[in-house]
Amino acid sequence: MEIFWVLMALAMLGFVLVPFLRRRRAGIEQVPPGHPDAADPANYGFVRQEELDVRMPGPDQDLLDVLELVQRTQDYRAASQLLAGTEKEGELRWQRVQAFAGAASLELQQRPGGVSETPGGQWLRVWRAEAPKDPGGAAVHAEFLVQQAWRTATPGTDEFRIIMEEAREACGQAALLAPGDPVPYVVELSVARGLAYSQPEFEKLWLKILDRAPAHTGAHLAALHYWGEKWHGSRELAYSFAEAAAARAPRGSLLAAMPLFAVFEHLPEVNLVRGFYQSEVVTKAVHGALFAVHAARPDDPMLAHVRHLLLFFLVRSERWAEAMSQLIHVDGHVGAVPWTLSEDPAAEFAVYRALAVAGYEANGGSPATLHH
């Protein structure tokens, strides 16, 4: 359904995209200078599509180095040390837990194992067996189970429920090992959505997170899914949750961007009204996110997430220069919504990047006028 929606939406922008892609695929480079079809992302130093990193929304070299070492040696200890040295209450720990769990889950999918083959992600099993009281390993294991449920089973089936119940138990174990760490409870937010916690039960879980990390943007994004109309709430509840978070956001917090994520969560499956992305509700949410980005710390781990979603909305709103301003900060990494909802995140990102460049140049922009 997501793919269908994206294709329909892109059809509305075909007057820019189709001629551009046809010329590129045919290898035709001779177009008049200044013509929109002459726009080439490479002129701006952007990363080639095949080199885009789909694992993370932005750079984290320490994580990449450790992940490469763990996967090459199948030794978990570097991952354990990295998480032990990562601040409990911050966003970075949550992102790293997700990354390690995702790597193990993907390894298992690629190498399920057999009579003569060791299954992928074996390093995580060894981690839990050799260091059962390591809070980092416990959190990664809980998130691994959550990802396995969504990746391998269908919500509502017995198989999905069994894996999620196991994940719920793992979250409880991880929480006991690290009383001040919000991550086990953030992991459980996805369990709550999958197992359809009642609203009072969900609120009880949410209060545990607020007690530990009240401004945790990643936790708020995970909770937003529960309150959306696709799951256990409604458009009104999701908007109310997002707007309340933005209203109480401390200075410099990216929680001010929450309404934009709520808008994205409730986009119509097929929107044929061109002005929708220039409507008051979208414009207001975009401005809130832009404010959040400008006020945030440059090293905020959630900053790239907001920039990626802004890029999507700014392109759809035909705000080309502002879209390019976000591109120069996030290009190279595409492991974020909305791209990860596509079967090919790099290709999806590349389409929007091409549209941004083409629109920017069609309105007089050039590499020389883009401020880095």
Side-chain angles (χ1 to χ4, degrees), residues 265-286:
E265 187 75 7
H266 294 86
L267 286 177
E269 292 293 329
V270 179
N271 173 46
L272 298 178
V273 181
R274 183 180 179 189
F276 172 79
Y277 289 93
Q278 298 169 347
S279 65
E280 181 179 356
V281 64
V282 173
T283 299
K284 182 179 178 182
V286 166

Side-chain angles (χ1 to χ4, degrees), residues 85 161 348:
R161 180 184 56 79
E348 187 74 6

Side-chain angles (χ1 to χ4, degrees), residues 12 17 27 32 63-64 82 84-85 88 91 94 117 137 151 176 218 234 246 296 332 346 354 362 365:
M12 294 185 293
L17 178 62
L63 172 62
L64 289 180
L82 182 66
K88 285 183 180 180
E91 309 280 354
W94 166 230
E117 181 186 41
R151 188 190 299 271
L176 289 175
S234 65

Side-chain angles (χ1 to χ4, degrees), residues 182-265:
V183 168
Y185 300 105
V186 179
V187 175
E188 193 179 347
L189 290 174
S190 188
V191 176
R193 178 162 55 98
L195 293 180
Y197 282 20
S198 67
Q199 291 189 5
E201 191 176 11
F202 186 87
E203 290 281 13
K204 184 178 179 181
L205 170 62
W206 183 241
L207 286 175
K208 293 178 181 179
I209 295 173
L210 293 183
D211 285 343
R212 292 160 176 80
H216 198 291
T217 305
H220 280 78
L221 292 178
L224 179 65
H225 293 305
Y226 176 90
W227 291 116
E229 64 183 7
K230 296 176 185 176
W231 291 97
H232 310 298
S234 65
R235 180 189 301 264
E236 291 72 26
L237 284 172
Y239 275 40
S240 176
F241 175 80
E243 289 166 2
R248 67 172 182 269
R251 183 174 180 81
S253 169
L254 287 165
L255 288 178
M258 283 297 298
L260 188 64
F261 285 89
V263 170
F264 181 78
E265 187 75 7

Side-chain angles (χ1 to χ4, degrees), residues 322-340:
E322 291 169 292
M324 293 294 286
S325 294
Q326 301 308 316
L327 256 178
I328 61 177
H329 289 287
V330 299
D331 187 73
H333 297 83
V334 296
V337 169
W339 326 121
T340 50

Side-chain angles (χ1 to χ4, degrees), residues 335-357:
V337 169
W339 326 121
T340 50
L341 300 178
S342 166
E343 293 182 0
D344 189 341
E348 187 74 6
F349 175 84
V351 165
Y352 277 79
R353 183 174 64 181
L355 288 168
V357 171

